[in-house]
Amino acid sequence: MKRISLVSVCRHVLWTGMAGFIMVGFYGVYQFLFGLPPIRVVEFYMGNASMPMSFKDHGERIVSQYMEVGEILPNCGIPYVCPHNHFPVHIFTGKGKDDTPKICVSGKYIIQKDINNGGRGLNFVVVDSHRMQAVHARRFDTYTTDSSELELFLLREVRQGDILIALTFDEASRNLGASAKNLLAEIGSSQIQNLQFRGQWYLITQRGMKGFSPFELLKASKGGLWSPINEHFCIPRLLEGRTIMPDPLVLQNEPRAKFCDHHTDLADFCSVSQKHVPLKPAALTNRQLVGSPMFITPIMVVGGSSLEALTLTLETVMSQPGIQPRYVVVVYNPDVLPDAPQLCKLFGFNSKPTKTKQYHEVVRAVFNTVETMFPGTVYVMMIEEGLLLAPDCLSYTAALLPLLHDPTVLAISAWNPNGFPNVSSRPDLVYRSEDFPGQAFTIRMATYFSQLRPDLLRCCNQPGWVGWLEVGRWEREVVVPDVSRVLRRPVGPDLEPTTPLISSLFHRLRATNLEVSAVISNTEVLVVDRYESHLIHLLNNSHTYTLNLTHAALTTCAATASTAKLNLTMSDKQGVYVIPFKESDQSGVSGMKLLCRCFGLFHEDHSPPRGLHRGLLRFSMKGSEVIFLSNKSPHFLLPRYSRTTLTLP
C-alpha cells in the first residue's frame, strides 16, 4: 500500500485552491465585460413619500430640456396619500382670463403662471406612466391660431403608454379644428366635440387605452362667464377605458324643452346640452348670511327689449346663493317681450306687464308692484336691463344691507362706474360716493316714498347709469364697490344709439368680480360717524405715500391716456398712494377730470367725474389703494398735503 505524506496532501490542496480562485476571477472579468447589466434602482413617488423600486429597462421617456417646474406642493394638495401605483394630480382652469391655469403632477406644478407658457387655449402635460413623472408640457393658443401644430404634437409627442393631461383656459374652441378633435377622441375623449365658446374642459387619458377616459369633464360657459374647474385626483399609472361612456343622469325639463322648440335663437339657454337641464336655485353656503333679510327682499328686474339678454340676466339671478324665486319679479312690456311670462315661469319667477314706455313710469310700475305683491317689505333691489350678476352679487348686498339704516346712505350699488381693469382690483373694498351709479342697486322703500316718488319725472326718466338725483348730495351718499358685482352686456347700435356717455361707460373692457366668497373688509367704517375718521387714518398711516407728479407729466398723460411715462412705483401692496392737487377753478372739477383721463377712470367731456366723495376720489391699482385728493376736500388741510403746489388743469 502506497503511503501518502502530509506534505503531499497540503501541496495538492494548495494547487486546487489556486486553480479555483483563478477560474472565479476569469468568470468575474467575463461577466464585467460581456454579462448582463446590473439592475438599476429609481425612485417612484407615492403620494407624499418616495420609495425605491427596481425595474428593468423599458426605454422610459426623457424629460424635455425645455420643460420647467414651478411650485413644489407635496401630494399636489391632496390631504391623503394616493394608493400604490397611483400619482397625485391637481388641475385648475382659472376663475377668469386674468387668472392662470394650473396642472400639478406628483407634487410639482408643470403648468402655472409663467411656467411652460401656460395660458389661453389648450394646455398639455405628458406623463411617463412608468415613472409617474411629467416629461413634456405644451400650450396651443387655439383662439388665435389653428390647431395644426396641436395635431402634430398629438401624433408625434404622445407615445404608447404615455398619460396625457389636457386643460382649457379662457377660450380654446374658436380655431380647434375637426382633425384635432378627432385625434383627441381617438385617445379617449368623449366630450371634446361639444366644446363651445369659453367652455371649460379637462381630460386625463392614456395612449393605447381602449375606450373613453373616466377622467373628463366639460362645463359650458354661462353668458360668457367662467365655469371654473378645480379638481384633485389620484391617477393610476394604467388607465382603464370605458367601452361605452355612461350616460349622465337623465335630465328632464319638459317645459324648458317646449319653450326652446320655439326659441332656437337662444343659443346658450336652448342648446342641445342645456334645454333639458332643470332650473334650480343655488343654495346658500355662507353661514354668516343665514337669516339676512336680503334673501326675502323683492328683486325687481326690468325686462328691456331683448329676450336673449333677459334670459342671461335671469340665469345669473338664479345662480345667486340663497336666491328664493318667489321674490323675483320681471317687469316687462308685453308688446316688446310677449314671451317673458313663459320664460319667467321656467325659473319660478313672477312677471308683471306694463305698456308704459317712459322710463320714470317703468320705475313707478316697479315700485307699485313691490307695494302690491310684497306689502310691508323694508328693502327692494332693482336690476336694470341687460345685466349679468356676479356670483356674489346678493351676498355682497346682504353683507352691506345694515348700512341702509344709516340716514346718510341712500342706496347700495352693485356697480362701479370707474370699474375698469387697471383701476379696479380689490373685491374687498367699498366706498361712499356722491353720485347714483344705477344699474343694480338696493334701497329702502321708505327712501322711494320720500325722495324718489314725489318727483319721478325729474329724478328718474332715464336709466340709472345716466345719473339719478343731482351730483353733490353730500347729506346722502351711495355705497359703491371697488370691483363691480354686475356686468352690462353690450347692446347693438340698432337698439341703443352710440353717444359719448355710452362709449365712455360701456365701450371699454370692465372688471367684474368672479369670486363666490369675496369678503368685504371695511363694512364697519362706512357709517357716517366713522368714514371720515377712516379716511384720515388712510391719509396719515405709515403705509401712505405721496405721489409728487408734475403738471407737464400729468398733462401729457391725459393727452395720451397712458400712465406709462409717470414712472409710478407701487411696491407696497398695503400702501395708500395719494396725489394731492389744487383745482385752478374752485367751482369746477377740471383738475379731477384731467387725472381721471390720465389714469383711465371714467371721463367724458360733458359729464363730471364719477365716484367723488367730498373732493376726493378712491380706486385701486394692482391691489394698492389710490386717492386723488383735491383742495375741495377737508382732508386737504392735513399738513402733509396742504403745502402742495400742483395746480390742475
Side-chain angles (χ1 to χ4, degrees):
M1 182 175 180
K2 184 177 180 181
R3 297 193 329 181
I4 301 174
S5 68
L6 180 60
V7 176
S8 308
V9 173
C10 291
R11 188 182 295 118
H12 179 76
V13 171
L14 178 61
W15 283 108
T16 303
M18 290 180 63
F21 180 81
I22 292 170
M23 291 300 294
V24 171
F26 278 126
Y27 181 80
V29 173
Y30 176 86
Q31 285 292 338
F32 179 80
L33 295 176
F34 308 107
L36 294 173
I39 294 176
R40 293 184 294 160
V41 174
V42 297
E43 284 192 342
F44 281 81
Y45 285 85
M46 301 295 175
N48 280 329
S50 63
M51 61 178 292
M53 294 182 63
S54 62
F55 74 106
K56 292 190 177 181
D57 198 349
H58 65 277
E60 71 270 14
R61 300 296 305 275
I62 298 175
V63 178
S64 169
Q65 61 177 322
Y66 302 109
M67 194 186 78
E68 303 169 298
V69 174
E71 178 188 356
I72 304 298
L73 180 64
N75 216 33
C76 292
I78 299 177
Y80 53 87
V81 176
C82 290
H84 179 65
N85 282 338
H86 288 63
F87 61 97
V89 170
H90 171 222
I91 59 169
F92 177 56
T93 60
K95 295 179 180 179
K97 69 178 185 64
D98 295 323
D99 208 337
T100 178
K102 295 181 180 180
I103 299 178
C104 176
V105 177
S106 295
K108 302 172 183 176
Y109 276 96
I110 309 302
I111 296 292
Q112 203 176 22
K113 184 178 181 181
D114 300 326
I115 299 297
N116 293 315
N117 195 32
R120 183 176 62 191
L122 282 163
N123 299 268
F124 292 92
V125 172
V126 178
V127 179
D128 178 357
S129 60
H130 293 272
R131 292 184 296 144
M132 295 187 287
Q133 295 292 306
V135 294
H136 199 24
R138 287 288 302 274
R139 194 260 296 190
F140 302 92
D141 187 357
T142 49
Y143 177 78
T144 57
T145 58
D146 63 37
S147 53
S148 55
E149 287 192 24
L150 168 58
E151 294 162 21
L152 292 174
F153 166 77
L154 293 172
L155 289 169
R156 297 178 180 177
E157 300 295 334
V158 185
R159 304 179 189 176
Q160 192 75 6
D162 283 349
I163 291 176
L164 180 68
I165 303 174
L167 181 73
T168 59
F169 179 72
D170 194 355
E171 214 301 287
S173 66
R174 183 179 182 181
N175 290 307
L176 184 61
S179 296
K181 290 182 178 180
N182 290 337
L183 288 172
L184 288 166
E186 287 176 7
I187 59 174
S189 173
S190 63
Q191 298 289 328
I192 190 62
Q193 304 290 353
N194 300 322
L195 183 64
Q196 297 182 359
F197 178 74
R198 275 198 169 166
Q200 303 301 301
W201 168 81
Y202 77 80
L203 169 71
I204 303 176
T205 188
Q206 189 168 29
R207 172 75 77 185
M209 179 192 69
K210 294 182 179 180
F212 298 111
S213 170
F215 299 98
E216 184 178 25
L217 179 64
L218 173 63
K219 280 190 175 183
S221 168
K222 293 184 178 180
L225 293 180
W226 232 257
S227 297
I229 298 173
N230 187 15
E231 298 283 356
H232 294 79
F233 311 94
C234 286
I235 301 298
R237 62 193 301 182
L238 183 62
L239 272 66
E240 294 184 7
R242 299 176 179 179
T243 305
I244 299 177
M245 197 65 184
D247 291 330
L249 295 175
V250 177
L251 299 176
Q252 295 291 336
N253 192 339
E254 200 61 33
R256 180 175 180 176
K258 288 182 178 180
F259 177 85
C260 287
D261 288 341
H262 298 90
H263 295 89
T264 55
D265 54 315
L266 301 178
D268 290 332
F269 185 75
C270 290
S271 65
V272 174
S273 62
Q274 294 295 314
K275 68 179 183 179
H276 290 287
V277 176
L279 297 167
K280 297 180 180 180
L284 181 62
T285 56
N286 188 339
R287 294 183 180 181
Q288 294 181 343
L289 298 179
V290 172
S292 169
M294 187 64 224
F295 301 108
I296 56 171
T297 293
I299 299 173
M300 310 300 293
V301 181
V302 177
S305 56
S306 166
L307 189 66
E308 180 184 13
L310 177 60
T311 302
L312 291 171
T313 299
L314 298 187
E315 284 189 277
T316 59
V317 171
M318 194 66 155
S319 65
Q320 297 297 305
I323 189 71
Q324 297 196 46
R326 65 181 182 274
Y327 290 102
V328 180
V329 184
V330 175
V331 177
Y332 71 99
N333 188 327
D335 296 332
V336 178
L337 295 177
D339 294 334
Q342 295 97 303
L343 177 64
C344 293
K345 191 174 181 181
L346 297 178
F347 290 90
F349 298 161
N350 302 290
S351 58
K352 178 68 175 178
T354 177
K355 290 198 173 185
T356 183
K357 294 182 179 180
Q358 294 188 343
Y359 203 81
H360 75 281
E361 290 298 336
V362 174
V363 175
R364 190 187 305 277
V366 165
F367 285 94
N368 286 348
T369 301
V370 173
E371 196 175 5
T372 302
M373 294 183 64
F374 309 100
T377 187
V378 178
Y379 314 101
V380 60
M381 182 178 192
M382 182 171 172
I383 300 174
E384 297 191 88
E385 173 184 0
L387 298 184
L388 302 177
L389 276 63
D392 72 331
C393 184
L394 248 62
S395 300
Y396 154 85
T397 308
L400 297 171
L401 202 61
L403 289 172
L404 289 178
H405 293 276
D406 180 341
T408 66
V409 173
L410 181 72
I412 297 169
S413 175
W415 184 65
N416 182 0
N418 290 317
F420 303 105
N422 59 315
V423 288
S424 175
S425 60
R426 293 281 300 274
D428 61 309
L429 288 185
V430 183
Y431 312 129
R432 289 178 67 122
S433 170
E434 295 165 9
D435 54 272
F436 193 95
Q439 296 275 52
F441 56 89
T442 303
I443 66 171
R444 298 185 69 185
M445 282 296 289
T447 299
Y448 166 72
F449 292 137
S450 63
Q451 290 204 252
L452 302 185
R453 188 166 70 174
D455 199 4
L456 271 180
L457 178 61
R458 187 176 68 89
C459 152
C460 316
N461 199 31
Q462 300 181 86
W465 50 264
V466 176
W468 284 6
L469 312 173
E470 63 268 29
V471 175
R473 299 181 62 91
W474 289 359
E475 70 278 8
R476 298 203 75 180
E477 295 186 310
V478 177
V479 176
V480 178
D482 183 75
V483 181
S484 295
R485 264 53 179 197
V486 292
L487 174 67
R488 185 177 188 265
R489 295 183 73 245
V491 179
D494 53 328
L495 298 176
E496 181 178 73
T498 303
T499 65
L501 179 60
I502 289 174
S503 296
S504 298
L505 283 173
F506 304 121
H507 292 182
R508 293 170 58 189
L509 190 64
R510 283 194 160 271
T512 306
N513 182 53
L514 296 177
E515 298 180 22
V516 178
S517 56
V519 178
I520 308 302
S521 64
N522 60 340
T523 307
E524 70 284 351
V525 303
L526 292 166
V527 294
V528 61
D529 57 343
R530 295 186 184 179
Y531 194 64
E532 301 306 322
S533 298
H534 175 64
L535 290 176
I536 292 174
H537 171 73
L538 287 179
L539 292 167
N540 272 326
N541 72 39
S542 59
H543 290 279
T544 300
Y545 307 91
T546 302
L547 298 178
N548 296 308
L549 305 175
T550 66
H551 185 280
L554 288 170
T555 303
T556 302
C557 172
T560 59
S562 171
T563 60
K565 295 185 178 180
L566 293 182
N567 296 320
L568 298 174
T569 302
M570 297 182 179
S571 56
D572 186 350
K573 292 300 181 183
Q574 298 178 341
V576 177
Y577 296 86
V578 183
I579 301 178
F581 69 98
K582 296 177 181 178
E583 289 280 4
S584 59
D585 179 4
Q586 190 62 23
S587 63
V589 288
S590 56
M592 189 71 75
K593 290 177 71 172
L594 183 144
L595 285 172
C596 289
R597 182 180 294 275
C598 168
F599 279 77
L601 286 87
F602 166 77
H603 57 272
E604 198 270 321
D605 291 341
H606 303 290
S607 301
R610 301 284 179 99
L612 293 177
H613 168 78
R614 305 188 69 183
L616 64 78
L617 193 154
R618 297 176 64 191
F619 60 97
S620 69
M621 293 182 71
K622 298 180 180 180
S624 298
E625 287 194 62
V626 183
I627 299 177
F628 294 159
L629 182 65
S630 78
N631 58 338
K632 290 187 175 184
S633 170
H635 305 302
F636 186 83
L637 298 177
L638 293 170
R640 65 188 297 179
Y641 304 115
S642 59
R643 294 189 294 270
T644 185
T645 58
L646 177 63
T647 302
L648 298 174

